[in-house]
């Protein structure tokens, strides 16, 4: 797609089932766009075509529509909208949204909306969140033993299932974009994904870029992608690196691209940070302070751990710290290794991270991050090791109200 001023956006198309191929384009400025479609398959030259799109200016209803996609300006320590307006990254953790948030039922007490996903989104819009942070369980496992509700594959890791995308994730992405959210997207969960998929993750990455690059995206590659490096299992690390290279190559909008990390210092033994820092596609740090179990220590991530990243010059952001009411017990006298971190830890972690230079914060609350539908363990949601509260109890926790 070439704008009349010379701006070029190149995007891959994607298979949408049967004999249907699509390309998704979101013009980022009004005016005339010339497009040309090419095809590498000699048997499908009928797909090749060209034409003109006349893009009209929109009537903006959200900050995204007013200012454009989130981006990173070299030399800045924060993200901006495309027009230079600072973008404050205030995220809510919905790690398992593609797989477990429901479009056709809602069990919030007394609610008749019939759509749990929209219930969650509408609540977060009202509270002022700007980001929905999530990832796919692309390898048939979320790392916590939950039973999948959707299957993204017709044949595991070789043939995608477009119907699952059309009926589920496309609808969610549309609603998030229309609601003004930036979607922070990962492709899998630490070494669980890569141990199963290996280099098939790169094919999935290309499909995801083709299908969703035209949306308001920030890429974090995957959740805790450096675990394989830390464990000395590069076979569980390099597929994420190659997936990120694919994202960088095919995302014609050049959305911000980083990696969600374990809670290690930059120069700690076995840290993957120096390796990631040197890769040309890596533009920002998505750090995590983690979820300390023993609250008797009385401290959070020290300033020094943030400073190690701050001095490297790239923007960094605290993306996972002290999910509210994560642990089972609310009293450290029961067992300090399973006590609740409660409300103030999440609130203080946000404040401290921003004072240390974080360009935003990702809040998380139990019941929503791991998506517990109910108190019944049979409904899934990481019931065995964490607090058993369902999503509708997490929705109105005090730290989430104050973020």
């Amino acid at each position: 797609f070439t704008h009349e001023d010379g701006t070029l956006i190149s995007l891959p198309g994607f298979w949408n089932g049967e004999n249907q191929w699509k390309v998704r384009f979101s013009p980022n400025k009004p005016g005339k766009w010339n497009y040309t479609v090419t095809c590498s398959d000699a048997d499908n030259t009928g797909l090749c075509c060209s034409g003109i799109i006349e893009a009209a200016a929109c009537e903006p209803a959200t900050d995204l529509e007013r200012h454009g996609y989130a981006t990173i300006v070299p030399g800045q320590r924060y993200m901006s909208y495309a027009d230079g307006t600072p973008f404050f990254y205030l995220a809510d953790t919905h790690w398992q949204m593609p797989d477990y948030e429901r479009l056709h039922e809602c069990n919030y007490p007394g609610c008749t909306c019939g759509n749990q996903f929209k219930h969650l989104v509408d609540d977060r819009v009202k509270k002022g969140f700007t980001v929905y942070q999530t990832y796919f369980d692309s390898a048939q496992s979320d790392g916590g033993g939950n039973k999948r509700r959707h299957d993204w594959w017709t044949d595991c890791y070789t043939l995608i299932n477009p119907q699952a995308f059309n009926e589920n994730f496309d609808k969610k992405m549309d609603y998030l974009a229309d609601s003004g959210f930036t979607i922070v997207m990962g492709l899998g969960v630490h070494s669980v994904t890569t141990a199963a998929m290996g280099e098939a993750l790169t094919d999935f990455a290309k499909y995801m870029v083709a299908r969703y690059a035209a949306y308001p995206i920030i890429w974090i590659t995957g959740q805790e992608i450096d675990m394989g490096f830390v464990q000395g299992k590069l076979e569980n690390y390099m597929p994420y690196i190659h997936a990120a290279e694919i994202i960088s190559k095919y995302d014609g909008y050049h959305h911000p691209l980083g990696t969600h990390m374990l809670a290690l210092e930059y120069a700690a033994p076995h840290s993957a940070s120096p390796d990631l820092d040197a890769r040309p596609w890596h533009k920002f740090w998505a750090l995590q302070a983690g979820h300390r179990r023993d609250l008797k220590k009385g401290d959070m991530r020290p300033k020094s751990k943030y400073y190690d990243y701050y001095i490297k010059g790239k923007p960094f952001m605290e993306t996972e710290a002290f999910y509210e009411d994560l642990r089972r017990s609310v009293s450290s006298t029961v067992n300090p290794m399973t006590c609740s971190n409660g409300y103030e830890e999440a609130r203080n972690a946000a404040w401290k991270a921003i004072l240390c230079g974080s360009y935003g914060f990702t809040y998380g609350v139990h019941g929503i991050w791991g998506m517990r539908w109910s108190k019944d363990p049979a409904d899934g949601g990481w019931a065995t090791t964490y607090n058993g509260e369902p999503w509708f109890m997490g929705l109105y926790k005090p730290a989430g109200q104050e973020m």
Side-chain angles (χ1 to χ4, degrees), residues 74-396:
Q76 287 184 348
R77 293 190 179 274
Y78 56 90
M79 289 188 180
S80 302
Y81 291 101
D83 68 356
T85 303
F87 171 74
F88 188 72
Y89 184 125
L90 182 58
D92 195 35
T93 306
H94 299 256
W95 281 133
Q96 299 173 297
M97 174 269 282
D99 301 271
Y100 299 109
E101 293 186 10
R102 308 188 187 193
L103 287 169
H104 305 295
E105 54 185 328
C106 181
N107 66 340
Y108 188 94
C111 180
T112 59
C113 77
N115 189 323
Q116 179 213 19
F117 168 73
K118 288 187 177 181
H119 193 131
L120 283 161
V121 173
D122 293 349
D123 175 82
R124 271 26 194 164
V125 169
K126 291 176 182 176
K127 287 183 168 68
F129 287 91
T130 59
V131 169
Y132 223 75
Q133 183 171 303
T134 191
Y135 67 77
F136 269 83
D137 292 340
S138 49
Q140 311 288 84
S141 173
D142 66 350
N146 285 321
K147 184 178 180 181
R148 297 176 54 80
R149 291 180 51 80
H150 302 281
D151 197 340
W152 311 111
W153 303 94
T154 299
D155 294 323
C156 236
Y157 318 142
T158 59
L159 183 63
I160 209 77
N161 178 8
Q163 184 178 1
F165 288 87
N166 287 324
E167 294 179 354
N168 176 37
F169 199 54
D170 279 13
K171 297 181 187 300
K172 292 174 178 176
M173 291 291 283
D174 287 343
Y175 194 73
L176 285 168
D178 289 344
S179 300
F181 272 106
T182 294
I183 303 102
V184 169
M185 180 74 69
L187 306 178
V189 53
H190 50 75
S191 56
V192 171
T193 295
T194 47
M197 293 182 71
E199 290 299 333
L201 184 64
T202 59
D203 294 330
F204 188 74
K206 188 174 180 182
Y207 192 78
M208 291 296 290
V209 169
R211 195 151 191 133
Y212 299 117
Y215 286 77
I217 290 281
I218 294 172
W219 303 102
I220 55 169
T221 307
Q223 192 247 11
E224 296 172 350
I225 69 105
D226 54 337
M227 183 177 287
F229 191 99
V230 172
Q231 295 171 338
K233 298 180 179 179
L234 293 184
E235 68 274 17
N236 291 337
Y237 172 71
M238 291 307 298
Y240 278 120
I241 299 302
H242 296 153
E245 292 168 349
I246 288 289
I247 292 170
S248 178
K249 179 179 179 180
Y250 288 104
D251 178 3
Y253 292 95
H254 308 294
H255 295 299
L257 171 57
T259 52
H260 184 268
M261 311 285 289
L262 290 169
L264 296 180
E265 295 182 34
Y266 184 96
H270 312 298
S271 169
S273 297
D275 177 72
L276 291 166
D277 204 5
R279 297 185 180 272
W281 51 264
H282 187 273
K283 303 301 182 185
F284 72 95
W285 300 104
L287 306 177
Q288 66 154 302
H291 313 282
R292 191 185 67 254
R293 297 187 179 196
D294 187 354
L295 298 189
K296 291 187 297 183
K297 294 180 180 179
D299 63 354
M300 291 180 286
R301 185 185 186 100
K303 178 182 176 181
S304 61
K305 281 194 175 183
Y306 289 123
Y307 189 69
D308 282 349
Y309 290 92
Y310 181 84
I311 61 175
K312 301 301 177 182
K314 293 178 183 176
F316 78 85
M317 204 261 302
E318 177 56 73
T319 58
E320 186 177 335
F322 302 104
Y323 293 155
E324 192 169 6
D325 284 339
L326 177 68
R327 306 289 174 185
R328 283 179 170 180
S329 171
V330 296
S331 171
S332 61
T333 59
V334 176
N335 183 344
M337 296 302 288
T338 58
C339 60
S340 169
N341 58 286
Y343 142 67
E344 289 193 1
E345 291 291 321
R347 185 171 175 270
N348 292 340
W351 180 242
K352 182 172 185 177
I354 290 168
L355 287 178
C356 289
S358 177
Y359 59 89
F361 184 77
T362 301
Y363 167 75
V365 62
H366 195 72
I368 294 178
W369 74 268
M371 193 34 60
R372 285 194 54 80
W373 178 249
S374 74
K375 290 185 177 181
D376 185 351
D379 285 333
W382 295 72
T384 56
T385 55
Y386 295 111
N387 180 348
E389 294 178 347
W391 69 277
F392 50 79
M393 292 182 71
L395 201 61
Y396 296 107

